[in-house]
Amino acid sequence: MTDLVWYIPTALLLILLGLLIKRATYRSFPCFFIYVAFGVAADVARFFARNSPSIYSWTYWVTEAGYDFLGLLVMNELIRRVLRNLSRTWWGSLIFPTAAVAGVVLSFSRAHAVPPQFGHGLAFYVIVGEIAVRAVQALVFTGLVAIALILRLRWRQYPFGIATGFGGYSFVALLMTTKYSDFGTRFTFLWSVASVVAYSIAVLIWIWFFSAPEEPETPNPDLPGSSPEALKRHQATLEQYLDWLRRMR
């Protein structure tokens, strides 16, 4: 029974995948759909590799790298979906690259200051990359919360649901992965338990958001991208916030 606990996220991902197919989200959120489908495939691959320590090790770290890569693509997808036309502005197009660079710099700076307890193999690079990805996800989630508050957007939308799941999981995973990097295999069990619990909660959040059809979008002057006038107003509002931040330095 104890071993089955580790496969709770897999069962939840299967439920989520069914909902995503039902809602046809592979059209509006292709990267997130691929991420969930990949999660199911990765868990199946790990299950069949579990009896061979060497094969399981390679399977685990390779699929973790896949999770990280797809996680970044989902963040970019969310930014473009939430900002819509604003993402085509010069500053809007820099949001994701800036967050990505910040995550990588933070991760490698920390790895240089406190070298991970994994030598220089595949696990080392995956752990460093995972910390960078979790930092990016935390930054994107925080930024989307700020945008939702500034522009008075409805939170019960699929993009914000996806961001909420990743946001909560990223903060927990960032802390636990950092500790795993510091202490190595001595922290494996606690890291695994915390990761399973946090990820299961994230998937439950996604299931809850996708359990109901998304309300159709209607022209609304308070929503970005609904009209050229709305775009100009939101650009002006955000430019005012940026100018205020510059003067606060």
Side-chain angles (χ1 to χ4, degrees):
M1 179 63 70
T2 303
D3 292 339
L4 294 177
V5 174
W6 302 104
Y7 296 101
I8 289 178
T10 308
L12 295 176
L13 282 173
L14 284 170
I15 296 173
L16 176 61
L17 185 61
L19 285 174
L20 295 182
I21 294 174
K22 181 180 179 180
R23 305 297 179 202
T25 52
Y26 46 81
R27 297 173 182 171
S28 52
F29 299 97
C31 292
F32 182 65
F33 180 82
I34 294 173
Y35 176 90
V36 175
F38 175 83
V40 174
D43 286 349
V44 171
R46 292 176 183 181
F47 176 80
F48 284 107
R50 70 190 188 283
N51 293 325
S52 175
S54 60
I55 295 177
Y56 181 83
S57 178
W58 274 96
T59 301
Y60 179 85
W61 292 114
V62 168
T63 52
E64 280 296 297
Y67 271 122
D68 294 342
F69 175 71
L70 290 174
L72 287 177
L73 294 183
V74 174
M75 293 301 101
N76 185 45
E77 183 174 71
L78 292 182
I79 291 174
R80 291 183 176 276
R81 179 62 186 271
V82 172
L83 293 182
R84 302 183 194 174
N85 290 337
L86 292 177
S87 64
R88 300 174 185 174
T89 61
W90 68 268
W91 57 266
S93 63
L94 294 177
I95 293 178
F96 177 73
T98 300
V101 170
V104 171
V105 170
L106 288 173
S107 181
F108 276 93
S109 296
R110 190 185 184 285
H112 178 74
V114 185
Q117 302 299 308
F118 292 98
H120 297 280
L122 176 63
F124 170 85
Y125 293 104
V126 173
I127 287 293
V128 173
E130 185 164 339
I131 292 175
V133 172
R134 300 306 170 217
V136 171
Q137 290 172 342
L139 290 171
V140 171
F141 171 69
T142 304
L144 291 181
V145 171
I147 290 172
L149 293 175
I150 293 171
L151 302 182
R152 301 189 300 278
L153 303 178
R154 289 183 297 105
W155 192 258
R156 186 66 193 270
Q157 298 182 62
Y158 289 165
F160 292 123
I162 298 172
T164 301
F166 273 112
Y169 175 66
S170 65
F171 284 111
V172 175
L174 187 59
L175 174 63
M176 302 308 292
T177 304
T178 299
K179 294 301 180 183
Y180 186 44
S181 172
D182 293 343
F183 298 105
T185 55
R186 292 174 296 165
F187 200 69
T188 298
F189 180 75
L190 184 57
W191 176 62
S192 300
V193 171
S195 297
V196 167
V197 172
Y199 193 66
S200 297
I201 293 174
V203 180
L204 286 173
I205 291 173
W206 294 332
I207 290 175
W208 182 73
F209 269 87
F210 285 97
S211 62
E214 191 173 37
E215 295 181 9
E217 296 289 346
T218 56
N220 186 329
D222 289 333
L223 295 180
S226 57
S227 68
E229 293 76 15
L231 176 58
K232 291 179 181 178
R233 285 198 301 271
H234 293 305
Q235 279 186 266
T237 300
L238 291 176
E239 288 290 351
Q240 289 176 0
Y241 276 96
L242 292 173
D243 183 63
W244 177 77
L245 289 174
R246 284 193 292 264
R247 285 185 280 114
M248 288 293 291
R249 292 179 179 176

